[in-house]
Amino acid sequence: MAVKRGKLIHAGKANNVYETDNPNYLELEASNRISAGNGEKRDVIEGKGVANNTISKAIFTKLEKLGIPTHYVGEGSNDASKIVKKADAILLEVIGRFKATGSYVKAYGVPNMMPFDGVYIEYTYKSDSAGDPRITADAIVANGLLSRRELGYIEYITERVAYAVKDFFAKCNGELIDFKIEFGRLPNGQIIVIDEISPDTCRIIDMTTGQSLDKDRFRKDLGAVSEAYVELAKRVEKMS
Ligand code: 5GP
């Protein structure tokens, strides 16, 4: 049964959230808005919303097939949107890294692209006013964000997502360097992967050219931002 879009309830930095005629579902629309540095740098990138949504839908579909629970329900009312389950967001950003770059290199001064043994996982507290600070496992539990058991579960799911997404982008000739995912709780308490998994939330390097195919093009002023997103989405569409 088709789900009908209702009124706009939230316009975030990159996504618009709409009510639907099903009280358990929302419609999440990926916009062309892009931002970096906690919203300090902003622009509009033609074609980004549709490209991100194409990629995100394909990844969530793969995760669901692997038995990893997500909020994804199905196609939305346009090419930039998807229908998702309503969930209570857990205020964490869970970051998985295969190679060190970005804030990790800045924090610890290790060589750029130093490989990790497996997936390195870290957490930030999702707070724009505090600038998404790193948060330890003990603080996550002490602050009541998750129980110890739930934290263990999230770590297990993040590791599974890491390898699934790495394999997904490898099929598009891309190497997954790192990514950020978010989790939410359904009314029955089940923890699921929410939000999006896209070039806005992952670092992906073209395996042939070594070029970034993600938001780093915007962060570092590398140019051809729209072209990179659209190219990756084309590869995803070819694959599926
Ligand atoms: P870093 O911590 O090195 O800046 O980012 C690690 C990975 O997580 C990158 O793939 C980056 O895109 C993603 N990431 C970290 N924080 C955020 C955030 O606040 N928003 C988005 N969209 N991605 C993030």
Side-chain angles (χ1 to χ4, degrees):
M1 195 181 67
V3 176
K4 274 209 193 88
R5 176 189 280 202
K7 69 173 199 289
L8 177 72
I9 51 174
H10 177 70
K13 277 184 281 191
N15 292 313
N16 299 322
V17 186
Y18 294 87
E19 269 178 358
T20 71
D21 59 353
N22 182 324
N24 300 317
Y25 294 164
L26 297 170
E27 184 166 325
L28 205 59
E29 186 178 62
S31 83
N32 289 338
R33 298 188 291 278
I34 195 164
S35 67
N38 203 4
E40 278 159 28
K41 186 174 172 185
R42 289 164 194 264
D43 206 346
V44 171
I45 304 295
E46 206 51 50
K48 181 178 83 88
V50 172
N52 268 358
N53 191 52
T54 302
I55 296 165
S56 206
K57 280 189 305 186
I59 293 177
F60 277 119
T61 301
K62 174 174 176 139
L63 297 182
E64 287 285 339
K65 273 191 192 143
L66 291 170
I68 298 169
T70 78
H71 69 164
Y72 184 60
V73 174
E75 307 265 336
S77 62
N78 63 51
D79 287 345
S81 73
K82 59 179 183 256
I83 304 297
V84 301
K85 291 177 191 162
K86 215 184 257 183
D88 265 343
I90 295 165
L91 293 180
L92 287 176
E93 295 192 337
V94 184
I95 296 170
R97 303 180 190 271
F98 287 100
K99 289 184 174 172
T101 191
S103 72
Y104 190 97
V105 167
K106 206 168 161 202
Y108 305 120
V110 298
N112 196 42
M113 293 299 160
M114 178 189 83
F116 290 106
D117 195 9
V119 192
Y120 174 91
I121 297 175
E122 68 185 47
Y123 302 90
T124 65
Y125 175 52
K126 207 170 149 62
S127 159
D128 281 344
S129 59
D132 295 348
R134 280 200 171 79
I135 184 167
T136 62
D138 283 353
I140 289 170
V141 176
N143 297 359
L145 291 166
L146 294 171
S147 69
R148 262 305 149 194
R149 217 164 144 251
E150 287 172 332
L151 186 58
Y153 175 73
I154 277 187
E155 199 170 311
Y156 160 73
I157 292 292
T158 302
E159 202 162 312
R160 290 194 61 200
V161 169
Y163 287 104
V165 177
K166 188 176 168 64
D167 175 71
F168 177 90
F169 284 124
K171 291 190 171 113
C172 308
N173 202 40
E175 179 186 355
L176 177 68
I177 304 298
D178 59 23
F179 62 92
K180 180 264 299 180
I181 52 175
E182 297 186 21
F183 290 88
R185 257 196 208 90
L186 291 178
N188 68 7
Q190 191 190 14
I191 291 181
I192 59 174
V193 182
I194 62 166
D195 198 48
E196 64 176 320
I197 303 179
S198 75
D200 268 4
T201 64
C202 298
R203 286 194 177 95
I204 308 128
I205 303 284
D206 186 285
M207 285 177 175
T208 309
T209 64
Q211 294 286 312
S212 291
L213 295 172
D214 58 70
K215 195 154 111 175
D216 264 2
R217 299 209 70 81
F218 175 70
R219 291 189 189 102
K220 299 180 179 171
D221 294 317
L222 300 174
V225 185
S226 168
E227 287 81 349
Y229 281 75
V230 170
E231 166 61 24
L232 199 55
K234 268 192 202 147
R235 293 186 200 175
V236 166
E237 275 183 326
K238 250 194 203 159
M239 185 171 79
S240 47

